[in-house]
Every structure is written in C-alpha cells, then in structure tokens.
Amino acid sequence: MSTPAVHSLWTTAADRIPQIGAPKIEYGQLSPTLIIIGAALVGVLVEAFVPRRSRYYAQVFVSVVALCAAFAAVLGLAADGYGTTKAHIAAMGAIAVDGPSLFLQGTIVLAGLVGLFTFAERRLDPAAHGNRVDSFAAQAAAVPGSDAEKAAVKAGFTTTEVFPLLLFAVAGMLVFTSANDLLTLFVALEVFSLPLYLLCALARRKRLMSQEAAVKYFLLGAFASAFTLFGIALLYGYAGSVSYARIAQVVDGSVTDVNPALAGTMGNDALLLLGGALLVMGLLFKVGAVPFHMWTPDVYQGAPTPVTGFMAAATKVAAFGALLRLLYVVLPGMRWDWRPVMWAVAIVTMLGGAIVAITQTDIKRLLAYSSIAHAGFILAGVIATSKNGVSSVLFYLAGYSFVTIGAFAVVTLVRDAGGEATHLSKWAGLGRRSPLVAAVFAVFLLAFAGIPLTSGFAGKFAVFKAAAAGGAAPLVVIGVISSAIAAFFYIRVIVLMFFSEPKPQGPTVAVPSPLTMLAIGLGVAVTLVLGVAPQYFLDLATQASVFVR
Amino acid sequence: MEKLIALLIAAPLLGAAVLLLGGRRLDRVGHWIGTLLSTASFVFGLVLFTDLLGRNAEHRTLIQHLWTWIPVEGFQADVTFRLDQLSMTFVLLITGVGSLIHLYSVGYMEHDERRRRFFGYLNLFLAAMLLLVLADNYLLLYVGWEGVGLASYLLIGFWQHKPSAATAAKKAFLVNRVGDMGLSIAIMLMFTTFGSFAFGPVFGHVDGASQGKLTAIGLMLLLAACGKSAQVPLQSWLGDAMEGPTPVSALIHAATMVTAGVYLIVRSAAVFDAAPDAQLAVTVVGAVTLLFGAIVGCAKDDIKKALAGSTMSQIGYMVLAAGLGPIGYVFAIMHLVTHGFFKAGLFLGAGSVMHGMNDEVDMRRYGGLRKYMPVTFVTFGLGYLAIIGFPGLSGFFSKDKIIEAAFAKGGTEGWILGGAALVGAAITAFYMTRVMLMTFFGEERWKNQATRSPEAPSAEPAAEHRGETAEPHPHESPKVMTIPMIVLAVGSVFGGGFFSIGDRFLYWLEPVTGHSEGHSPVSAGEVTAATMVCLVIGVAVAWAQYGRKPVPAVAPRGSLLTRAARRDLLQDDFNHVVLVRGGEHLTRSLVYLDHTLVDGVVNGTAAGFGGLSGRLRRLQNGFARSYAVSMFGGAALLVAATLLMRAV
C-alpha cells in the first residue's frame, strides 16, 4: 500500500463530499490488534469445541502464542519505523500508528502476558476434589453457596472463559490507545470495559464481594460511558466530525467551512468546552482520578487478585494513552482551558490517594489508593504538554505496570484458610517467615514509593522534571509532598513485615507454579533494570513521544 | 623514570595489603616483609633522587598521570603524582627514617603477638604519607591526609587493651577531624575560586583571586596544618598519642606525619605569599606553639611526653619559618629533615631505655643509665646535642637559620618572632638537658623501688598493666634496635652541616619554594652569638637544678606554672570547659528543641493527616449511588471550571 495515497485520501476527504467506497485497511499495521482479536475468537471456539479437560491448556497456549505474536508484531512495526518516520494514520482515519501507540501497545501486550501468567496459576488454592483450581469461580452462573455451585466445584469445573475475556480486553485497550476518532475511541472503551466487568465477578472465594464489585464497576462504568458519549456528541456538534484531526483543525481555527446540517452549532465554543470536559471526565474515570475514583478501592478489593493486577496495570496504560492523545492531538488548541482544571484534578488525586491510603487496613485497598495517587503523579506529566511530558508518562506507565502486576501477584501468595490473607495485620512478621517473598514485596513497595534504584524513582523523576519544565512547579511541590505522605504507608508495610513479631496463626506463603514466579520475577527485573539503567528506555520513550496528526 | 613514582607508594601499600589480609600464616615473616617493602620504596626513592640530580634544576619536576579519578564535566580529579625537589626530600625522609624504624620495630615489638598487624599498619602509614606528599592536587592529597590520620589512629590505639591508649587514639582522631574539616573547606573554596584544586591551576591563578578568598583559603589550610602538626589550638592530642608503641611515636608523631602541616603550608606557598594576613596567622601560631610545647616539655616526667612537648615546639619553629614566606620556606623544610633525624633518634633512644627498664617511662625512676646502655647513651646524647643546637651539629644549622629568618622578617614583628624563637632555644636547651641528666646521670633511682611512695602519681599505666613491680635490670638493646639509632645519630650529627655548607639544601629546594634573604636588622653572627648565649643559659639552669642536686623520686609540688605545665598548660581543662561543656549544653538544648518543636510539628502533621485520612475515608461508604453522586458532582465541577476558565 502507498502511504501518501492514504494520507491524501484522508486529508482531502474533509474538503469534498465524502464518497462511499471500499474501506482501505492496512492489515499489516493493525496486526497486533488483529492477532489478539483473532486469538480471542479462537478462544471462544475452544470453549465451544474442545473437551473440558483440555480447555485450560488450549486456552493458555492460544493466549500466550497470541500475546507473544502481538508483541513481536509491535516490535516489527517499530523496527520498520512506524513509530517515527513512517508514523501515519491508518484504517480510513480511525487508527493512528505512531510512536506513542506502538510504545503503549507494547506495554499493554506485555502487561497482558504477565497478567495471563497470574490468571493461569493453579497451584495456590488447595486442590478441590482432586482437581487443580485457579482464582476463578467454578461456574460463574451458579449462585454463591448454592448446590449448583457445590456440584460445579465437585465436578472440577473451571471458568476457562477468562482467557478469551482477557484477550478481548487487551484488544480493546490496543485500539483505545491508538483510536484516532471519537467513535473508535468509544467502541474500544466498551470492548475493553465489558470483559473487565465480567472478570471482576469471577472470584472463586468471597464471591458475593466479587459480584458486588463487578456490579458497582459496571454501573459506574456505564454512568461514565454515558458522560463520554454525551461529550462525543457535543464535540461532533461543535466540529461536524468525529475525526481527531478535523476537530483539532476546527479548534485552532484552520478550518472554517460549515457543515450546513450543523450550522446552528458548529464553532460554538460552549459545545467544545462542555464536550471536551465530559470526554476527559470519562477518561479520568478509567484512570481513577479523584473525584471519579470511588470505584477503585471497592473493585480492586473485590475482584480476583490476578484480575486486579492486570486491570490496575493495563487499564491505566490504555486510559492514559487515550487521554494523552486526546489532549495533545485533539485539544491542544484549548490547552489554556483544560490545563488549570487538570492541575486541580492532579492535585486532589495525588493528595487524596496518598492521604486516604494512610488509614487503610487491607492490602488490596491500600494498593488501590496507591494507584489513585500514582494516577495523580502521571497526570502531572500529562499536564506538562511537552515532548518530555509524553515520554515521561510513557516511561512511567511501563515501569508502573510491571510493579503493579508483580505486587498483586505477591498478594496472591500470602494465604490462610480463607484464601488470600489481605488484612494488613496478618502480614506482620512476614519477613521472618518468608524473607524472600517479603523482600520482593518490599522492592515493589519501594518502587511505588519512588526510592532511587527502582523504576518508580526514575519514572517519578522524569514526570516531575517534565512538569517543572512545563511551568507546573507548584504541582511538582505538591507531588513531592504527596510522595512523602505515600512513602509513609509503603514503608509502614515494610516495617510491619520485617520488624513485627509474626502472629502465631498467621498466613502461610504458598509456593506458586513457575508462571507466577515468572510474573513476579519479571516485575522485579524490570523494576530494577528501569531503576538502575533507565537511560536506554527513557531514550526509547523519547523517540516514541511524537503523536501523528 | 616517571613510572617509578607510583611504585614508591605501591610497595608499602602492597605490604599493608599482604600483611593485613594475609592472616596468621604470615606471623613469622610478616615483619620482614614489611621492612623489605619499606626499604624497597626507599631504594626506588634513591633511584629517582639520582635521576633528579642528573637533571637541570628547572627539569626536576616529574609528573605521572595514572588515571582520571572523577571525570565529571567541570569537576576533574586526576590521580596524578608530582615529584619535585620538595616531595623528593619528603620521600627520602619518609622512606629512609621509615625503613630504619621498621628495622628497629623488629626488635622492639618482638614479644608482641600482633606484630604482623603492627607492620601492616606501619606500611599503610608509609603508603598514605607518600601519597600525601606526591599528590598533584589537593583532593588526592586529602586522601593521603586522611590515610595517615587513619594509620595514626590505628597505631596510637595499637595496644587497644589499655583504655588510656584507646582514649588517646579517639582523642587524636577527633582533634584531627577539626583540622580535616579545615582542609576540606579549603579545597571547596579553591574549587569555587579557581574552578580546580590541582596545584598547577590553583597556583597559576592566585593573582586573579580576591584577597578575602585567598586569606580564607590560607586560614583553612592553617587550621588543617594545626590539626595534623599539633599546633595551638589543636595541639592537645599529641601528648596523649605517646600511648602508642615508641616506634610509632618516633615515626609518625615526631619525624613524619606531624610535619605534614608544614608540608601543606610550604606546598601552598603561592597561596600564602598572596595572603599576608594568613601568613601572619601562621607565624603567630608557630611562635605560640614553640613556646607552649617547650614549657610543657620542661614539666613532664614521662620521657616520651617530654619529647612530645619538644616535638610540638620544634614543629612550631618550622611553622614559624613557613609563615615567614620565601625567607623561611627552605629553612622550615631543612629543620624538618634534621629534626626528623634527631627526634626519631631521640625517640628510639627513649624506646631503648624503656625496653631496658621494663617499660618504665617516669624519668624520676631512671638515673645513671649511661653505664648500662652505652650505645643508647651515645646516640641519645648526639641527638640531644643536635636538638639544642650545639655548634656543628644538625640542629645548630637549621634552627639558627630559622631564628635569623625570623629577625629578617623585619619591623616589630621580626623582633617579636625572633625574640620568641630565641627564648624557645633557651627553653629547649633547658628541658633537653633535664631529660638527659635525669635519664643517664645522677643516682640510680630505679634501685630500691620500695622507696616509691604509694601516693606517687602513676605516670605509666603500661608498667602496672604488665605487672612489673620487680626491680628492673637495665641492659643494652639488641643490634636490630641499636643500628637504626646509630644511623640516625650519624644523620643528627652531620645532616645539618652537609645541607648548609655551600647552601646545598637552599639551591636544591629554591626552584620549588623560592627564596629571599629579607632585611635582617641584626647580622648572622650576632644571631648565632645570641643563640649560643641562650643555649648556655638553658643548659646551666638545668645543670643547677638537676645535675648538682639529686632528683627527687617523687615530683615536688612545684610552682603554679610547673603544675599548669604538667597538665599541658591546662589544655584539656580549657577544652573541657569550653568545648565539652558548651557542646553538652548545645546538644541538650537542641535535643529539647527537637523533642518539643520538631517532633511536635512532625507528630502534629502526622496526626493531622491521619485524622484527615480517617474523615475522608468515610466518604467511601460502599454505596454505588454515593459514588455516582460524587462522579456527577465531579463532572459538574469539571464542566463549570472549564467554562469559568474561558469566562475569566
């Protein structure tokens, strides 16, 4: 295919009356997404046709192959220069293939892969009736505590549908970060949200809590989606188009011709402001920024822990990717309007997350509030509105996602009779009993706290540096104060693990399969590599920090 | 030839590493390894020395660049050595005297089971001291500076089982830290002023720097010199440092390390020459210390402490000379070298006496030892004649030159400094004669130990520690100890004359330090005559007091001055009242402030955030409807704020 031709088609389309023709799709450039979607569909067929006994292995195989292939495809595209010189807009203007989208897609695919390892873990729970079981309900449709559930457990059912669900979510996220028009954005949002709602409901233990979390997530997610959709509608009314480039041109005034059908609304700034704000709100909901964060602790706590880890990492990457693109590509012309508002959001998010985390007693809720505070730190980099702002956010997200999945994977290991022992009091003295696990967790906590020689420090430093250079020095000061507050509760957990007496009937640390070990090991390795030698990856992020318009 | 310079340091460093890491295996040969490597370093020094002699005076600076230590933009620290006439002089002194003292220690430390470790420390000291004098920039010099401080600490406290030795080591370390701070501040000032701390750039750009900065750098360097060279006001550690084994006192606390301050000042001549105020401070410190040390030396009954006072006083002479500028630099170094010979010889002699007297150090329990230790007596006696400046011996030439230079400073200052130096010469003659008479002449007070009064102050805990109450049997020391003493005595006798006749030393050192004659209001002959008069007075008074009358085995109460001098002129009392008590009050008030104010703020903040957290937490009530309301409110705020922004 010829790139200039596509380009000219897209630019001239705005000037002429659109002609209906066969859509031109660059399958090669969309291959990461297509591979994942294809594998997810294969996963559905596996559910339908492969005998129950073999499904788990088939699903794991398909998913791993698909994710590896997708990652290879991302690398191939990047090596071909699609991240830099050949960056352009594909699929009739719907998908941007550029540095940020490839970097984020790579991150999401890797997060999906590591998350998959924790999904596939089957050695932590004691075998039920001779069957190895994972973290997911035996039969999602069975009422908790009912005879049907018991029968399902006895029969050794497992919900292997989680693997295609994960793949669908990943596919949605891949599109979400690269969506280049508002409709694609919205469709991608729903494609990755719906599987996540489902996954949240599938916990094997504490099923009522899990289902409650899922319902809350679904209700609030639908509520947020409605805002998003409304915002999209208003923006269409303002610009007469859902294409990012077209809206951006209208915002900065380089296109003034009016669509006769929209003569009454086009160019009306109130619509732009209203629509922009609502759209941004929808994305802030997904990243978990205050005051749209309320779902986070409840859902993180209730969802099966592997799902929480995957969701916390990948959703954040995808949502920040979309937010970056929206603010840098669509709305740079109105940055004087959105920057002060985002300042306020970043400040309350950093402080709110850090302060409320102080009094948390459940490790999963603690990590949830920590993720809120981190959303605030990343927002500080977003606000920088500079190339360095983009690269620092990309770097931060990459480092953060591995730490998060690793940390939640460690949470799955600490168990007592009731499953995972998430109450903090049970973690007392863990360092004496299981020094290795406690030390690994301490590494993750130090990375969350942003201590030097961990990826957390390098990321935070890059983000704050970009923010300060972008004229947001007060934000950086508040960010540092929040980090200090946050350091308190991270270090407190370390103190609890290493300097408290172990409880007599405390939890035990289960020995996981190599899958979880791989997930945790990768987390530690990435955390240390990005912390000790961040420059290569910072350079990589800098190369990948230009959005195509 | 430059390549040899690193070997000078490498040999003793290797020795230190081998001896300290080698473990017990090396116990039987360790001392010989140490001595061998020290001698090897001396041989390298001699080779380099002959090479330098073969060159023209202006080509006698060798530079060896090893590697760049800290390669940072705008902050370049190199590991580079500079061997010129000044450092060459020190290299020969350090390795020469050092090797002799290694040899002596083989005998002296024979019965010590930690002898291998002792030699390891001695080698470590040599390496650090050589690094100090060979460094081509102040930062590298600082490494050596700290290294000798460490070696000194380890060696003073070598008999760590003695609480007094451990305390003395700690005291030396702490007092030296004050001086070290001075050096580090001086280096920082140099960096901010000149953008470098290498000798070349610093000395080359002195003209461009402001007077105030140069004075500050000079005073900080002086502070450093005071710490290492035991000059007033940082002199208090040297007397206590005599707790270390006597070879250590001879090598480190008499001949080499304590002269590092003099080296620092002479090396920084360019800075001091451009900062007359700092120079004046140097001369004042030198003059005060030379009198201070001499007075303390008069009152001590502990032979090593008397010699320590003498060391302080003699270094005072050197510092005084170094402060005189180009008039005095050469003579400061010359006195330093001759002093290295005779003071090391005196200490080794004292060690030999102690060796024969069951580690007794109280001179009131010596007496008449010349019959029993003839070699020690003769070598010690030659050292004695050298230090008091007996005509023809080393000290005569070097000290005389310093007194001359002090007068040549000119004006009132010249008279005051010259006068102080003259008085110092008289006191030196007095206390050294006193040491000589009490030790080698008079009755044999070590017989009939029963006469020893039970209330007698115990000067030497070591004697008690070793449980020696029996009457000592003085005897001459073995050859391995006497040979170094003989060599050093030869140096004490002929060194000064060799250097002075034909101004050999002057021509040798002048290219580095520069020299000027000054304008002396008195002629050289008159100064020499005055010095002789002072010498005779000092010796005569001492003879009247300690030669004619018998020396009481128990110290008499003495005058107020004597009692003060016995307590080192109240230096420790001063430090205690001013620094220790003051420090205690300061820390107590700071701790109080910390508890009330700082902790109050910190705990208050923590409690505040905790309370806030608890309150905010209640917003998270678990109801999806509340969450939705929060989102709706947030969205409304977001929209309102965005619209408002545009309106404003």
Side-chain angles (χ1 to χ4, degrees), chain A residues 216 269 294 298 337 355 359, chain B residues 613 617 620 622 627 639 646:
Chain A
K216 275 184 193 165
D269 273 0
M294 305 288 257
D298 291 13
D337 297 300
I355 290 176
T359 42
Chain B
S613 174
R617 201 181 157 187
Q620 189 81 25
Y627 297 175
V639 168
R646 183 56 71 93

Side-chain angles (χ1 to χ4, degrees), chain A residues 100-143:
Chain A
S101 67
L102 286 178
F103 190 97
L104 292 169
Q105 285 180 341
T107 311
I108 291 169
V109 169
L110 280 185
L113 188 63
V114 180
L116 182 89
F117 293 152
T118 60
F119 274 42
E121 174 63 53
R122 299 177 87 178
R123 290 218 190 135
L124 295 175
D125 253 323
H129 307 287
N131 301 305
R132 289 250 175 98
V133 295
D134 50 24
S135 308
F136 300 99
Q139 196 172 28
V143 176

Side-chain angles (χ1 to χ4, degrees), chain A residues 119-179:
Chain A
F119 274 42
E121 174 63 53
R122 299 177 87 178
R123 290 218 190 135
L124 295 175
D125 253 323
H129 307 287
N131 301 305
R132 289 250 175 98
V133 295
D134 50 24
S135 308
F136 300 99
Q139 196 172 28
V143 176
S146 65
D147 292 338
E149 188 192 34
K150 281 173 198 147
V153 171
K154 194 163 185 185
F157 290 0
T158 51
T159 312
T160 39
E161 290 89 342
V162 292
F163 298 104
L165 285 174
L166 173 103
L167 289 181
F168 277 124
V170 168
M173 290 170 186
L174 295 185
V175 177
F176 199 54
T177 55
S178 55

Side-chain angles (χ1 to χ4, degrees), chain B residues 97-98 101-102 104-105 108-109 117-119 121-123 125 148 150-159 237-238 241-258 304 311 343-344 347-348 351:
Chain B
V97 175
I101 288 171
H102 272 75
Y104 175 91
S105 305
Y108 189 84
M109 300 297 283
R117 190 182 290 260
F118 180 80
F119 276 82
Y121 292 157
L122 278 188
N123 272 0
F125 166 77
V148 295
L150 170 69
S152 160
Y153 168 80
L154 291 171
L155 286 167
I156 295 172
F158 187 73
W159 285 323
W237 63 273
L238 187 62
M242 297 301 128
E243 289 291 345
T246 306
V248 172
S249 309
L251 176 63
I252 299 185
H253 304 118
T256 53
M257 184 191 88
V258 286
K304 285 178 69 180
T311 303
K343 186 52 64 65
F347 264 107
L348 295 191

